[in-house]
């Protein structure tokens, strides 16, 4: 039996990180088992569904790298893949229930007759769960068709899974109590139900339910903030799934290899946006300088900076220093601009150092006289002046960094000296000495 999973979002807003996590677990499970992943759209709520929301879902999943085998834009043998286009299919299965005497009219609507017995499901994450349908006061027969002729979620969800040959349904724990209803429908249709796995909810760090307004909730915001899709996928995978090792950084291929429903936690996942940035940083560090420079370039250009011929080396200098691509412009601006600004608080730290002031006043001229410029030659010159001033070169590295970059941190000082070159280094040190 070929594994078939599905993701069935409702296009009433952007792709939420919780929905993306559900899609990811279904996608990983299908890929792990050599199966197929289906995307279908639950768009029967005409008042709330929008074309923009549909596109946001498609764009978000594509950006994350979760390609679907069947669905909108791909086609397949089980279409249409929009619920709004499947009414004839639903009518056919409703007639099957009617012919079997399993539905009856109630104030214009139609209810499905539950069999009055305990229903036990063996969930692949939550274990055995039983709902007792013998007490009709707790489990009234459910409406499957409204008085306006439209069908409810429970009915169309089951019909779609049946028609599309879905073998495994991986969805949020908030649907757990719906599953016995769905099992009764599958039984009434005379077909084997899929296997179910209900994954834990995602909560904020403080334990509150994650809302659409919380930072990190909208997948569409991640590219704008400078995340890599690989980093976001890695982070989302860890929200409720545990690889059972100390490792936390995985490529997509590694996630496919490692993923299993047995390692999905019962406890809710805790969303930590700072952790997400850390995971992203680990993926940025794995890129080559050329790959990193290309990924960061749109942010650099948008900041009004001009990437020159040495831009890959400039970007590469901060590759392991930033967590987000959006941080790159601020990290490299002093390497791409002729005129730089100085952080006042950092300058004050140097201003109180009389030795640094004395050395800086002469260092610009010494730099200008170096015949063959290199970071080693520049540091050697600094060492000579430091010795003359009765100090150690190490104590003057920070003042030189501030003089060249205007910042207290950043790339290795040797890299800065090489990238800026003799003329800029001499000019900036001289200007900084005047400021002091």
């Amino acid at each position: 039996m070929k594994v078939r999973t599905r993701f069935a979002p409702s296009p009433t807003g952007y792709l939420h990180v919780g929905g993306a996590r559900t899609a990811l677990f279904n996608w990983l499970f299908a890929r792990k088992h050599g199966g197929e992943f289906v995307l279908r759209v639950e768009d029967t709520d005409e008042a709330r569904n929008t074309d923009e929301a549909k596109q946001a879902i498609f764009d978000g999943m594509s950006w994350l790298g979760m390609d679907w085998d069947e669905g909108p834009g791909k086609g397949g043998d089980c279409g249409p893949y929009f619920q709004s286009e499947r009414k004839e299919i639903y009518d056919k299965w409703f007639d099957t229930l009617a012919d079997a005497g399993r539905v009856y009219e109630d104030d214009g609507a139609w209810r499905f007759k539950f069999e009055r017995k305990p229903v036990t499901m063996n969930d692949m994450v939550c274990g055995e769960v039983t709902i007792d349908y013998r007490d009709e006061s707790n489990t009234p027969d459910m409406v499957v068709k409204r008085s306006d002729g439209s069908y409810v979620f429970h009915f169309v969800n089951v019909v779609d899974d049946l028609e599309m040959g879905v073998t495994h349904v991986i969805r949020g724990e908030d649907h757990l109590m719906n599953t016995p209803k769905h099992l009764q429908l599958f039984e009434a249709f005379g077909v084997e139900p899929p296997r179910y796995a209900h994954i834990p909810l995602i909560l904020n760090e403080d334990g509150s339910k994650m809302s659409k307004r919380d930072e990190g909730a909208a997948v569409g915001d991640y590219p704008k903030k400078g995340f890599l899709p690989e980093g976001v996928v890695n982070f989302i995978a860890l929200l409720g799934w545990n690889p059972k090792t100390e490792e936390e950084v995985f490529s997509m291929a590694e996630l496919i290899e490692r993923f299993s429903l047995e390692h999905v936690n019962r406890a809710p996942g805790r969303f930590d946006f700072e952790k997400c940035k850390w995971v992203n940083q680990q993926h940025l560090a794995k890129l080559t300088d050329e790959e990193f420079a290309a990924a960061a370039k749109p942010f650099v250009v948008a900041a009004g900076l001009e990437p020159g011929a040495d831009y890959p080396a400039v970007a590469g200098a901060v590759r392991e220093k930033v967590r987000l691509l959006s941080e790159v412009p601020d990290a490299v601006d002093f390497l791409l601009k002729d005129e730089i600004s100085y952080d006042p608080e950092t300058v004050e730290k140097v201003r109180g150092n009389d030795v640094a002031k004395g050395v800086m006043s002469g260092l610009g001229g010494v730099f200008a006289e170096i015949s063959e410029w290199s970071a080693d030659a520049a540091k050697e010159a600094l060492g000579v002046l430091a010795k003359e001033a009765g100090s150690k070169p190490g104590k003057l590295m920070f003042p030189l960094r501030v003089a060249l970059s205007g910042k207290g941190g950043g790339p290795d000082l040797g890299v800065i000296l090489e990238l800026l070159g003799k003329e800029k280094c001499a000019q900036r040190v001289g200007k900084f000495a005047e400021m002091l």
Side-chain angles (χ1 to χ4, degrees):
M1 177 184 70
K2 176 167 280 192
V3 166
R4 282 174 64 84
T5 65
R6 50 78 166 172
F7 177 51
S10 178
T12 57
Y14 57 76
L15 179 60
H16 188 274
V17 70
R21 196 270 307 261
T22 298
L24 177 62
F25 283 14
N26 278 280
W27 187 88
L28 289 173
F29 189 82
R31 295 290 175 261
K32 170 76 175 281
H33 295 281
E36 295 163 339
F37 174 63
V38 179
L39 175 64
R40 71 169 187 251
V41 181
E42 298 186 345
D43 63 339
T44 52
D45 188 345
E46 293 183 16
R48 299 176 62 210
N49 295 333
T50 67
D51 290 337
E52 292 79 9
K54 290 176 189 175
Q55 195 59 49
I57 291 168
F58 303 153
D59 292 345
M61 291 185 63
S62 297
W63 182 76
L64 290 169
M66 287 187 278
D67 54 318
W68 51 98
D69 301 298
E70 295 178 26
K74 295 283 181 75
D77 297 332
C78 302
Y81 293 93
F82 292 93
Q83 280 187 346
S84 59
E85 300 172 4
R86 296 174 61 82
K87 188 174 185 302
E88 288 185 10
I89 296 170
Y90 303 142
D91 286 342
K92 179 188 73 173
W93 286 100
F94 178 80
D95 289 344
T96 298
L97 292 180
D99 291 344
R102 293 299 299 274
V103 291
Y104 61 93
E105 193 173 2
D106 180 19
D107 286 335
W110 290 83
R111 291 185 179 273
F112 171 69
K113 292 180 183 178
F114 286 130
E115 282 199 16
R116 295 300 163 183
K117 62 181 183 179
V119 175
T120 298
M121 58 179 173
N122 292 296
D123 190 86
M124 297 179 74
V125 173
C126 300
E128 188 175 289
V129 179
T130 299
I131 301 295
D132 193 344
Y133 280 84
R134 288 176 295 188
D135 185 351
E136 194 169 343
S137 66
N138 288 333
T139 55
D141 291 339
M142 70 173 171
V143 172
V144 290
K145 188 176 185 180
R146 302 181 185 92
S147 56
D148 64 2
S150 64
Y151 294 98
V152 303
F153 159 78
H154 301 293
F155 180 79
V156 296
N157 189 270
V158 166
V159 169
D160 287 345
D161 285 343
L162 185 164
E163 283 270 335
M164 295 180 183
V166 173
T167 61
H168 295 78
V169 174
I170 305 169
R171 60 188 181 187
E173 200 173 46
D174 51 331
H175 285 291
L176 183 63
M177 290 300 102
N178 291 331
T179 302
K181 302 174 184 176
H182 298 175
L183 292 175
Q184 287 235 25
L185 279 170
F186 277 111
E187 187 176 14
F189 289 137
V191 296
E192 280 291 315
R195 296 289 308 278
Y196 285 90
H198 290 87
I199 57 181
L201 301 179
I202 299 175
L203 304 179
N204 289 314
E205 274 195 280
D206 62 4
S208 61
K209 188 175 180 180
M210 196 173 187
S211 76
K212 291 186 175 182
R213 295 178 296 278
D214 290 326
E215 186 176 35
V219 171
D221 289 343
Y222 284 86
K224 304 171 194 172
K225 292 178 183 290
F227 284 88
L228 290 176
E230 298 90 339
V232 177
V233 164
N234 187 165
F235 172 71
I236 292 175
L238 297 173
L239 292 172
W241 169 76
N242 191 322
K244 302 303 180 185
T245 70
E246 296 299 314
E247 298 171 88
E248 293 187 292
V249 181
F250 302 97
S251 67
M252 189 73 100
E254 289 169 333
L255 285 174
I256 293 171
E257 181 185 350
R258 303 282 191 90
F259 184 78
S260 73
L261 291 172
E262 288 77 18
H263 291 168
V264 172
N265 303 328
R266 287 297 314 276
R270 295 295 178 108
F271 188 91
D272 181 349
F273 203 52
E274 292 304 307
K275 177 68 174 289
C276 186
K277 293 176 183 177
W278 178 85
V279 173
N280 193 68
Q281 184 178 35
Q282 308 313 302
H283 284 270
L284 289 176
K286 289 176 178 287
L287 300 178
T288 65
D289 285 353
E290 290 72 20
E291 290 169 339
F292 179 81
K297 190 172 183 179
F299 295 92
V300 172
V301 172
L305 299 172
E306 186 65 40
D310 59 350
Y311 167 65
V314 168
V318 301
R319 179 167 52 86
E320 296 184 5
K321 304 290 184 180
V322 300
R323 296 188 297 172
L324 303 172
L325 293 170
S326 56
E327 296 171 357
V328 173
D330 186 56
V332 302
D333 61 352
F334 74 94
L335 292 169
L336 297 177
K337 288 180 176 179
D338 289 329
E339 297 295 324
I340 64 172
S341 57
Y342 291 85
D343 176 55
E345 289 185 14
T346 306
V347 172
E348 285 305 311
K349 292 179 182 178
V350 180
R351 187 168 276 134
N353 185 336
D354 290 335
V355 173
K357 288 197 290 187
V359 171
M360 289 297 119
S361 63
L363 187 60
V366 173
F367 275 179
E369 293 174 4
I370 296 176
S371 57
E372 293 189 20
W373 179 261
S374 69
D376 288 340
K379 288 180 180 179
E380 186 177 340
L382 178 65
V384 171
L385 289 181
K387 188 175 182 180
E388 291 175 357
S391 182
K392 294 181 178 179
K395 292 185 177 180
L396 295 168
M397 295 296 187
F398 179 75
L400 178 55
R401 171 183 293 280
V402 178
L404 299 178
S405 69
K407 311 171 192 290
D412 180 80
L413 182 58
V415 174
I416 295 175
L417 289 164
E418 294 281 2
L419 288 172
L420 287 177
K422 180 172 77 171
E423 185 179 331
K424 279 188 178 179
C425 286
Q427 180 187 29
R428 288 185 184 181
V429 169
K431 180 181 177 181
F432 187 62
E434 292 176 8
M435 288 174 56
L436 298 177

